[in-house]
Amino acid sequence: MGPLRILILAALLYIGYRLISANFKKTDDKKKKDTDSTQSGGAITDVLVEDPVCHKLVPKQQAHLLELDDQKIYFCSKGCCDIFVAEREKTE
Ligand SMILES: [Zn+2]
């Protein structure tokens, strides 16, 4: 774990933050245009899902997915997913 890794991680977090805030701005500024372009593009990147463990909103494409029975649950990270699974096993 060198300082370079931390730098890369910080850069990734910053880029992610920029992307999310850019998407929020877009929907505010030109809602009409966006609905047309996002549907034709096919890639929906700005769908946010809520992590049930830490209640953070994460972009669906970057979320950690857990499929339970026929339910899909999204987490911000594998760590939160592990917590959720552990809590579930405790109550059962
Ligand atoms: Zn989380």
Side-chain angles (χ1 to χ4, degrees), residues 1 3 7 16 27-28 32 34 40-41 45 65 69 73 79 82 87:
M1 275 286 220
L7 263 178
T27 46
D28 275 353
K32 269 186 192 170
D34 247 17
S40 57
T45 51
L65 172 65
D69 306 325
I73 306 166
D82 289 343
E87 289 292 316

Side-chain angles (χ1 to χ4, degrees), residues 51-56 58 75-77 79-81:
D51 181 319
V53 176
C54 67
H55 300 282
K56 200 153 70 175
V58 280
F75 301 92
C76 70
S77 65
C80 277
C81 178

Side-chain angles (χ1 to χ4, degrees), residues 17-66:
Y17 173 75
R18 283 288 299 269
L19 283 176
I20 292 165
S21 50
N23 275 332
F24 274 130
K25 260 190 190 170
K26 241 192 239 168
T27 46
D28 275 353
D29 288 345
K30 37 172 188 170
K31 250 181 191 168
K32 269 186 192 170
K33 269 190 184 176
D34 247 17
T35 45
D36 286 345
S37 56
T38 44
Q39 275 179 358
S40 57
I44 302 164
T45 51
D46 56 351
V47 178
L48 292 176
V49 287
E50 191 180 345
D51 181 319
V53 176
C54 67
H55 300 282
K56 200 153 70 175
L57 290 174
V58 280
K60 206 171 184 176
Q61 287 193 334
Q62 289 161 42
H64 185 90
L65 172 65
L66 174 71

